Amino acid sequence: MKELYACGFNGLNQLRIGPLPLEAPEDLHSFQKIVAGNDIAVKYTGWSTVCVIDGELIVRGPLCSSSLNGSTTSWDAALGLHQKDAMAFFGDHRGVLGLLANDGQIQATSGHRPKQLVINDSKSELNIRHIAIAGNEKVVACCSQKHSDHDLSPTILEFPSFQALLDWKVNPPNPSFSQLLSPPDLANVSIVTLLSNFTSFTLLTNSGNVYTWGDPRHSSLGRNPTSSSAATAPHLVDFLGGIPIRKIASGGWITAALSYDNDLYLWGGRPGEKHRIKDLPDLPRKGNDEAEVKLVDIDGGVDIVDVGVGDGHIVVLCRDGRVFAVGRGESGQLGVGVRKFEEEWMEVRLNLGERKRVVGVYGGAWSSFLLVEETRN
């Protein structure tokens, strides 16, 4: 049995505890159980919508068939999809825009209801494997050859908007996208994860390398762009060179990377922010030679086994089962019972009961989530 706990912004009843929504929902300032099931898998945690799979797809938030009466929409029923077909969800500040099926087909939302896009993309030799949408509306799609039996040597395309991507699906020669030139070392690897935040994109390869590109003005790339490693194309985060990374997480202006050695690395932030997480690198300024990426030390150097990043906050899971959070907390997203910014890591006090342990953490824009598993005797 697994359970999903959540805290943070609940203005659209997306974190509701009971079966029916409240007329005036309140934010959750501590972690509360919102879903229970046999095999819960968290697929999407946006600012307004939560998508969870437990046999069928459960959607909480504006994507519900009626966000006023609290019913949930099963995309399996609406689109004829099965759980195995849903590879990933994608969305932006408006919420979920659709899902990407295993065959590369895009299923998109229409208003509060799912609607299948019937797209004739027979002209394209590419299958979309990953989609990410940044806060500046730019969209990146990582593709593989349609008739290939592997995902090596990906093609990376960038579009000015989600609509431009859909137009390309209908007419692949459409010139409204730009093909990003990939470094030679991407030629024989596959992409494990593609993420976006407000202004940048980050990808993780199966070899454990991290590449970033986008707007460099907010130190969101974790590297210093040069003439040979421009900000507008994917390039390796040099600080992490030689450190195999197994997970990345990104949100707001912050990105995190978690190594196979259970070390946590952070970068990002933005100039002019009123508060700043102390474990982020100093922002670039004249005479400041600090690295663009910072190795984080939590509670004397405990092993970190999972990380989630939201819009200005971070939540981590330690090997010993403890959970820590830091950053913005105005909506209760830190789960520590207070609604304020925390510059330093705060341990989250949990009351899960016996035989339960946290096995995963996720960051929504203004919320946080814990996946809890009941252990056997």
Side-chain angles (χ1 to χ4, degrees), residues 276-319:
R276 185 172 176 81
I277 297 172
K278 287 188 175 180
D279 266 337
L280 287 175
D282 287 341
L283 291 171
R285 62 180 185 273
K286 187 175 182 179
N288 174 21
D289 295 328
E290 183 173 345
E292 298 276 336
V293 178
K294 190 171 183 178
L295 172 62
V296 175
D297 185 336
I298 299 177
D299 197 34
V302 297
D303 282 352
I304 307 300
V305 296
D306 202 5
V307 58
V309 178
D311 180 3
H313 77 283
I314 309 168
V315 57
V316 300
L317 172 63
C318 303
R319 179 181 290 278

Side-chain angles (χ1 to χ4, degrees), residues 202-204 207-212 221-223 236-248 255-259 263-267 292-295:
T202 306
L203 67 81
L204 173 66
S207 57
N209 288 324
V210 177
Y211 294 79
T212 61
L221 302 184
R223 60 184 177 88
L236 186 70
V237 177
D238 293 329
F239 187 95
L240 300 176
I243 303 173
I245 300 298
R246 63 180 176 87
K247 180 179 180 178
I248 55 175
T255 301
L258 187 60
S259 74
D263 290 323
L264 179 65
Y265 299 87
L266 296 177
W267 63 89
E292 298 276 336
V293 178
K294 190 171 183 178
L295 172 62

Side-chain angles (χ1 to χ4, degrees), residues 16-30:
R16 66 179 183 272
I17 299 172
L20 296 177
L22 301 174
E23 290 185 4
E26 296 182 352
D27 296 343
L28 305 183
H29 304 154
S30 60

Side-chain angles (χ1 to χ4, degrees), residues 183-240:
D185 49 343
L186 276 181
N188 295 306
V189 301
S190 62
I191 294 174
V192 176
T193 309
L194 171 69
L195 299 177
S196 60
N197 58 26
F198 283 165
T199 60
S200 66
F201 297 91
T202 306
L203 67 81
L204 173 66
T205 70
N206 63 338
S207 57
N209 288 324
V210 177
Y211 294 79
T212 61
W213 70 100
D215 189 336
R217 290 178 296 176
H218 305 305
S219 300
S220 58
L221 302 184
R223 60 184 177 88
N224 184 25
T226 65
S227 58
S228 59
S229 60
T232 53
H235 286 280
L236 186 70
V237 177
D238 293 329
F239 187 95
L240 300 176

Side-chain angles (χ1 to χ4, degrees), residues 20-189:
L20 296 177
L22 301 174
E23 290 185 4
E26 296 182 352
D27 296 343
L28 305 183
H29 304 154
S30 60
F31 282 97
Q32 306 289 326
K33 181 172 66 176
I34 63 169
V35 177
N38 292 323
D39 191 20
I40 292 175
V42 179
K43 288 292 186 178
Y44 183 87
T45 56
W47 78 272
S48 62
T49 310
V50 181
C51 300
V52 177
I53 282 183
D54 180 33
E56 68 174 14
L57 186 58
I58 301 170
V59 180
R60 292 275 186 90
L63 189 59
C64 295
S65 58
S66 173
S67 60
L68 298 180
N69 65 21
S71 61
T72 59
T73 295
S74 169
W75 280 39
D76 296 46
L79 301 178
L81 291 173
H82 300 288
Q83 176 177 344
K84 61 182 177 60
D85 295 323
M87 184 162 61
F89 284 80
F90 54 88
D92 60 12
H93 61 279
R94 294 167 290 183
V96 177
L97 290 181
L99 69 81
L100 183 63
N102 284 324
D103 62 359
Q105 177 68 44
I106 295 176
Q107 320 287 344
T109 62
S110 177
H112 294 314
R113 297 177 182 274
K115 175 184 177 183
Q116 184 170 9
L117 289 176
V118 181
I119 298 176
N120 180 11
D121 61 347
S122 59
K123 300 178 184 178
S124 174
E125 294 299 320
L126 299 175
N127 259 349
I128 298 178
R129 310 304 296 173
H130 303 273
I131 294 176
I133 305 176
N136 57 12
E137 299 189 357
K138 291 185 177 180
V139 180
V140 166
C142 295
C143 310
S144 63
Q145 293 297 316
K146 181 172 290 186
H147 304 295
S148 174
D149 57 357
H150 59 73
D151 292 337
L152 301 181
S153 303
T155 298
I156 304 174
L157 306 178
E158 184 171 299
F159 302 84
S161 67
F162 180 56
Q163 186 59 52
L165 181 148
L166 298 182
D167 293 342
W168 170 79
K169 286 284 286 182
V170 175
N171 183 22
N174 191 309
S176 63
F177 71 90
S178 59
Q179 181 167 335
L180 301 180
L181 299 177
S182 302
D185 49 343
L186 276 181
N188 295 306
V189 301

